[in-house]
Amino acid sequence: MRTPRRCALLVSVLALLAAFASPATAETPVVPPGFQPASTSWTGPDTGYVLGYSPCAGTWCPALLGTTDGGRHWRRLGAPPMPLPDNHNHVALRVFGDRVAYVSDGVHVRTTRDGGATWQPVALAGAREPYYLSKIAETGGRVFAILTTYGEGRGSTRLYSAIAGSPVLAPVPGFAVTGGLTYGDLAVGGGLQVALGADYGGERYWTSRDGTRFTPAAPPCPDGTVASLDGVRERQVVALCSGSPGSPQPGSTERQLRHAPRLGAKFGDDGVAPFAGIHQGFAAASPTAATVAAVGGGVGFLHSTADGGRTWETFALTDRGFALTDLDFPGRGTGVVVDGQPDAEGGSAVYRTTDGGHTWRELRFG
């Protein structure tokens, strides 16, 4: 027996509204007083989530908001029990679909498998403090993360993974680097990319179509630079190569945009990006449109190109200048970034673009 079309549509709408179900009652305000965003994660151009904090009883209490119309309206969702760290670590929210999400302050990780109704702690197998979990992403039903461990003059960075929603993330054999200064990045979308490096020497780089079988490939960036990765855009791969912070002068970073014609192919030079600011993030809206986030001198910079790196324009965020995080383009030229942190003197805000990074506006939650 076939379900009538109207009934099927109603079921779909009810399922969407039930995702990340809200525990709020009619008396609970959707946006708590003093709400300051900490992190944002979008599963599409119009569907997004913002984790923030508001003052309560002498501390900061978490609140999770969701939208399905690009931020015009918000609903209250089940927030993770993740305190705002007093060391200014970034609290990062990552939502995968309508049921699974992760949140991390770099040291502690929690996940939900039921749309935010409950949150469980996630263990990092074999990790010894001090360490920092810098990035979490999902592809093919698996979650991947980059974890850097610090030691006395020597550390390591390695790839961790698990089935999405698993209570334990474990290191992936063969994906690790050691050195005095280690780092790494990963990207999903059109395949999985992983880059790991140490001491500004040669990086190691792998690609995977399914998240289980990996192929080594030529690194996106030359020796002496660090790769920032983004997903495959219209079959092309876009990466940013950055030099050490403070070069060629304090408060700046040398940068170059590079492209590969397909996943696993050799990268070529495309254009030099503006140097202003210390690197904070990178994302591409298309093979030709990309944005670099940077902070310097109390100013946040969003450097954007629409022609593959030949020319650039800069949008300056002068109100906060503390940090720029969660830069991402979830589709249709729509992008987001978080400016500042909840407990910083200037507070925080979420900015959104709908034209590939040419213009940005602050989202409102009231």
Side-chain angles (χ1 to χ4, degrees):
M1 179 177 179
R2 298 180 60 186
T3 304
R5 182 173 297 179
R6 288 186 178 180
C7 181
L9 178 61
L10 177 60
V11 170
S12 298
V13 171
L14 291 176
L16 177 63
L17 293 176
F20 285 86
S22 169
T25 65
E27 291 76 25
T28 303
V30 172
V31 182
F35 178 81
Q36 297 286 325
S39 182
T40 189
S41 181
W42 293 64
T43 58
D46 300 315
T47 302
Y49 305 86
V50 175
L51 174 64
Y53 292 82
S54 60
C56 68
T59 185
W60 292 86
C61 293
L64 183 60
L65 308 178
T67 181
T68 56
D69 58 11
R72 289 187 293 274
H73 302 90
W74 298 92
R75 67 190 189 279
R76 188 79 168 266
L77 311 170
M82 180 69 71
L84 185 65
D86 57 10
N87 59 1
H88 294 299
N89 271 5
H90 175 50
V91 178
L93 171 73
R94 296 295 176 262
V95 179
F96 311 128
D98 59 2
R99 306 297 291 173
V100 177
Y102 283 76
V103 64
S104 170
D105 64 0
V107 178
H108 309 94
V109 186
R110 287 185 175 271
T111 186
T112 179
R113 297 184 293 273
D114 53 17
T118 59
W119 293 82
Q120 296 81 34
V122 176
L124 301 170
R128 296 183 179 180
E129 296 189 33
Y131 60 77
Y132 188 80
L133 190 76
S134 59
K135 195 165 187 178
I136 301 177
E138 182 270 342
T139 185
R142 294 193 64 85
V143 170
F144 295 87
I146 298 292
L147 186 138
T148 297
T149 301
Y150 306 96
E152 295 184 0
R154 194 165 186 83
S156 67
T157 296
R158 62 190 313 160
L159 181 69
Y160 272 64
S161 184
I163 298 296
S166 171
V168 179
L169 293 177
V172 181
F175 289 76
V177 293
T178 59
L181 175 66
T182 63
Y183 39 81
D185 197 12
L186 62 86
V188 298
L192 173 65
Q193 304 171 70
V194 178
L196 302 176
D199 303 320
Y200 293 95
E203 288 187 311
R204 302 178 65 188
Y205 175 68
W206 301 265
T207 65
S208 175
R209 296 285 183 180
D210 56 10
T212 58
R213 295 180 295 272
F214 290 83
T215 302
C221 298
D223 289 356
T225 60
V226 177
S228 296
L229 306 174
D230 200 19
V232 179
R233 305 290 182 177
E234 300 172 22
R235 299 185 180 180
Q236 297 188 47
V237 189
V238 189
L240 184 76
C241 302
S242 302
S244 60
S247 176
Q249 60 189 23
S252 68
T253 308
E254 292 182 296
R255 307 179 179 94
Q256 186 178 56
L257 195 67
R258 308 195 86 193
H259 282 77
R262 62 187 180 278
L263 189 67
K266 184 178 180 180
F267 284 78
D269 298 341
D270 287 289
V272 176
F275 290 178
I278 302 300
H279 182 71
Q280 302 274 288
F282 167 75
S286 72
T288 57
T291 296
V292 177
V295 169
V299 178
F301 301 103
L302 295 173
H303 306 299
S304 297
T305 180
D307 55 15
R310 290 189 295 273
T311 61
W312 296 79
E313 58 184 349
T314 297
F315 183 80
L317 303 169
T318 59
D319 292 339
R320 298 171 183 90
F322 185 82
L324 292 173
T325 54
D326 297 345
L327 177 63
D328 185 37
F329 285 90
R332 290 204 319 257
T334 299
V336 291
V337 68
V338 177
D339 180 24
Q341 290 192 348
D343 57 347
E345 183 177 353
S348 57
V350 176
Y351 283 84
R352 185 171 183 260
T353 180
T354 57
D355 55 15
H358 178 65
T359 59
W360 298 80
R361 68 175 182 86
E362 183 178 343
L363 285 181
R364 301 296 180 182
F365 301 101

